[in-house]
Amino acid sequence: MFTGIITGVGRISAVQALGESATHGKRLTIETPTGYLDDVGLGDSIALNGACMTVTTFDVAQKQFTIDISAESLDKTAGLDALGPINLEKALRAHDRLGGHLVSGHVDGMGTVSHFAQVGESWELRVLAPVALGKYLAYKGSITVNGVSLTVNRIADVAGGCEVSINLIPHTVENTALHTLAVGKKVNLEIDLIARYVERMMTAPAAQS
């Protein structure tokens, strides 16, 4: 589990194919900030742009670790197959503060940035989410964009999906990889965990006595 509070901005420095066919995944090498790996062990979970991955090797001195990502995961996520900056979050510990919201690290779908511009001291980010995710999005509800826990300020059901508007304070822009976003770029989305359970409770068949 995660909180959507980014604990470091890393960089994918190498992408290695694990086979020759499209069914093979890739091995990613991620560079981290100084000291980030001091409490990391093999098999630990770290979310990369909101997608939970497993540490397969790490080198504290070189400030880097590797993960293996399947072809299926690559197909269902954005930003994990190319070099560049990436949001990092270590898995939640039982005694940690829940500063964002409960995040599973399982990407529910990919959205597309439809607007990203500065407004005063802040930034307005608008993302077009897939139609299937629209029913889970609500005014002042939570959404995870590339692993960052954010609050929905406005929603609009439009042709092709549901557009959510989000306000980004300067601290968020400066301390995450969201500053690299641009119109047309794909982002990873995870809906609020509570919304997923509410839907199941509302749609599951009634128990037979």
Side-chain angles (χ1 to χ4, degrees), residues 88-105:
L88 304 175
E89 184 187 354
K90 298 172 187 175
L92 178 68
R93 295 170 295 189
H95 64 279
D96 284 341
R97 288 189 176 94
L98 187 59
H101 70 283
L102 288 174
V103 175
S104 67

Side-chain angles (χ1 to χ4, degrees), residues 45-63:
S45 295
I46 297 180
L48 310 181
N49 271 3
C52 179
M53 297 293 160
T54 300
V55 175
T56 53
T57 69
F58 69 99
D59 188 323
V60 175
Q62 295 296 318
K63 299 186 294 185

Side-chain angles (χ1 to χ4, degrees), residues 2-158:
F2 304 89
T3 69
I5 303 299
I6 301 307
T7 54
V9 177
R11 180 179 180 275
I12 299 176
S13 59
V15 179
Q16 174 189 354
L18 295 177
E20 298 181 355
S21 76
T23 61
H24 289 95
K26 298 183 185 298
R27 177 165 295 150
L28 308 184
T29 300
I30 297 97
E31 297 175 352
T32 70
T34 300
Y36 192 80
L37 298 175
D38 288 351
D39 61 350
V40 169
L42 289 179
D44 280 2
S45 295
I46 297 180
L48 310 181
N49 271 3
C52 179
M53 297 293 160
T54 300
V55 175
T56 53
T57 69
F58 69 99
D59 188 323
V60 175
Q62 295 296 318
K63 299 186 294 185
Q64 64 183 27
F65 68 96
T66 64
I67 64 100
D68 291 346
I69 181 170
S70 68
E72 172 70 11
S73 293
L74 286 169
D75 183 59
K76 296 297 189 294
T77 59
L80 299 182
D81 58 354
L83 307 183
I86 192 167
N87 291 321
L88 304 175
E89 184 187 354
K90 298 172 187 175
L92 178 68
R93 295 170 295 189
H95 64 279
D96 284 341
R97 288 189 176 94
L98 187 59
H101 70 283
L102 288 174
V103 175
S104 67
H106 300 152
V107 175
D108 291 304
M110 288 184 284
T112 304
V113 176
S114 56
H115 178 85
F116 188 48
Q118 191 164 11
V119 180
E121 77 286 355
S122 300
W123 292 75
E124 182 187 15
L125 170 65
R126 294 202 294 261
V127 176
L128 181 64
V131 173
L133 298 186
K135 62 183 177 181
Y136 301 106
L137 306 174
Y139 172 64
K140 295 304 178 184
S142 296
I143 188 172
T144 306
V145 179
N146 275 0
V148 185
S149 172
L150 299 169
T151 300
V152 175
N153 285 338
R154 290 191 303 276
I155 58 172
D157 293 309
V158 298

